[in-house]
Amino acid sequence: EVFLRPESADREYLGRVSQGFFAFHLLGVFGDAAAERLKHAKDTVWLMDSSAQISALAINSPIHATFRDAFSKLSGLGVRAFSTEGLFDETREHLWFAKKVVKDHGATSPDVIAAARGDVPYRKANLFLEGFVNWQAAGNPADWDQYLIQVSGQASAGEDEATLAVGRLPIEVIPFGDWPGFKTLDFVEAETVIDKIVATYDSQATPSKEFDDLYKKAKPEAEALVVVLGERSGHFHMLSDTNQKSHAWFISETSSLNKVVQGPRITWRPEAFLRFLATLAATADQAAADRAFETLVWSLAQSGVTVLDDRVV
């Protein structure tokens, strides 16, 4: 009778029950497959590259809301995110450079916009400055200190804003030498990986300064590779007290690490990671569409295309 000739109260009741069913299913509370997927995520060591960290911290940058919400969801679901100190240093350096540009030239200087866009004489775009420009366009003052308070959550008064900010995401920053299970020989293994990464480039045709920069960039990537392989083999054990094997991924745009070692891939591109995360916690249709669009914008920005709107500038 309820299905054949439903009254308004019947329709409302069944509608609410069905909404609840699908909501619980999508959130991973109902269904064996969803529960297993969430368990897999919790048993995985997610190592975050600086590009993901910077995107989550640079307020008002194109993809900030998506990455911020991603880390918030991870934390709420009990999934832990990690970074080595070397990877985090790249994030800190990115913020330090933005602070230096503002300090040297002023918050309203054209240099701020040039550095945000990656225009000459700056080699690449700075997301913190891009966020600062968009932040002003949204009606906020041209006050870099106020922007830093938004990034870190408080007036730093000499504290490291990047450390304060990454702790709010949260991402756990672990020095390479403090990783559970670490042995001194792991330093040697990392050096070997650095040499392999550098060797993938034509060093003979690379100026010495750029070669030094390449070596500096390869170091945290090499440590990330050693951590991922160590977790998968059971040599490292961040998520357990024993030498138990764990799933591990390096969330990064750096695909070159997949060529350094034979076997399963080391890196997982951020946009793929964000799609996986969407299966762990549901979002409204409009929010999902907005996040998908931001991911596309972010991918374009990573390819070197300037996504800072000229009308905003």
Side-chain angles (χ1 to χ4, degrees):
E1 286 291 317
V2 168
F3 284 102
L4 291 175
R5 284 172 288 275
E7 301 290 337
S8 60
D10 299 326
R11 295 171 64 91
E12 182 178 0
Y13 172 74
L14 290 176
R16 289 185 181 277
V17 169
S18 62
Q19 283 181 318
F21 171 81
F22 286 111
F24 274 92
H25 183 74
L26 287 170
L27 287 169
V29 180
F30 188 90
D32 294 340
E36 183 63 25
R37 188 162 52 244
L38 179 57
K39 180 180 181 298
H40 180 82
K42 290 181 177 179
D43 293 340
T44 299
V45 174
W46 301 104
L47 193 62
M48 300 295 167
D49 198 2
S50 58
S51 60
Q53 298 177 40
I54 293 167
S55 296
L57 297 180
I59 291 177
N60 280 71
S61 61
I63 197 69
H64 164 71
T66 298
F67 272 98
R68 179 201 60 201
D69 292 349
F71 286 115
S72 177
K73 287 178 181 178
L74 285 175
S75 178
L77 293 168
V79 181
R80 298 167 68 186
F82 299 94
S83 171
T84 64
E85 194 168 43
L87 294 170
F88 174 64
D89 281 342
E90 294 181 344
T91 301
R92 182 188 287 118
E93 184 175 336
H94 201 84
L95 181 55
W96 171 85
F97 177 80
K99 291 171 61 177
K100 186 176 187 301
V101 170
V102 173
K103 180 180 178 181
D104 291 349
H105 303 283
T108 58
S109 168
D111 279 80
V112 170
I113 294 176
R117 295 166 59 98
D119 292 341
V120 177
Y122 303 99
R123 292 191 298 172
K124 58 182 180 180
N126 184 285
L127 275 188
F128 286 108
L129 291 178
E130 185 173 341
F132 182 49
V133 173
N134 286 326
W135 189 69
Q136 295 177 64
N140 296 292
D143 188 326
W144 175 253
D145 289 336
Q146 287 296 319
Y147 180 74
L148 282 183
I149 291 174
Q150 295 297 315
V151 170
S152 64
Q154 63 185 65
S156 61
E159 293 289 336
D160 186 340
E161 294 93 348
T163 299
L164 294 171
V166 81
R168 298 172 66 206
L169 289 177
I171 294 178
E172 301 175 49
V173 180
I174 311 295
F176 180 53
D178 291 345
W179 210 272
F182 179 86
K183 301 290 190 301
T184 304
L185 287 176
D186 292 322
F187 279 130
V188 179
E189 178 64 20
E191 287 294 327
T192 301
V193 175
I194 292 174
D195 293 338
K196 291 180 180 180
I197 295 174
V198 173
T200 60
Y201 298 86
D202 185 6
S203 59
Q204 298 299 322
T206 304
S208 58
K209 184 180 185 302
E210 291 186 13
F211 185 82
D212 290 341
D213 291 342
L214 176 61
Y215 188 91
K216 178 182 177 182
K217 180 174 176 55
K219 186 175 185 295
E221 293 176 357
E223 292 176 350
L225 185 146
V226 173
V227 166
V228 169
L229 293 180
E231 288 288 348
R232 291 177 180 178
S233 69
H235 172 61
F236 291 150
H237 44 90
M238 176 59 72
L239 301 179
S240 67
D241 296 329
T242 63
N243 294 336
Q244 181 179 352
K245 296 180 180 180
S246 297
H247 304 288
W249 287 99
F250 181 35
I251 307 303
S252 173
E253 288 285 329
T254 306
S255 60
S256 60
L257 293 185
N258 299 320
K259 302 176 183 178
V260 174
V261 294
Q262 299 295 322
R265 297 172 63 87
I266 301 298
T267 61
W268 199 5
R269 294 182 66 87
E271 57 267 31
F273 170 70
L274 291 174
R275 293 190 189 102
F276 169 73
L277 181 58
T279 69
L280 301 180
T283 28
D285 290 343
Q286 185 58 50
D290 291 342
R291 297 296 180 260
F293 178 75
E294 288 187 0
T295 303
L296 288 173
V297 172
W298 186 78
S299 299
L300 287 171
Q302 290 297 310
S303 70
V305 177
T306 297
V307 294
L308 185 58
D309 194 337
D310 286 338
R311 290 171 298 179
V312 170
V313 172

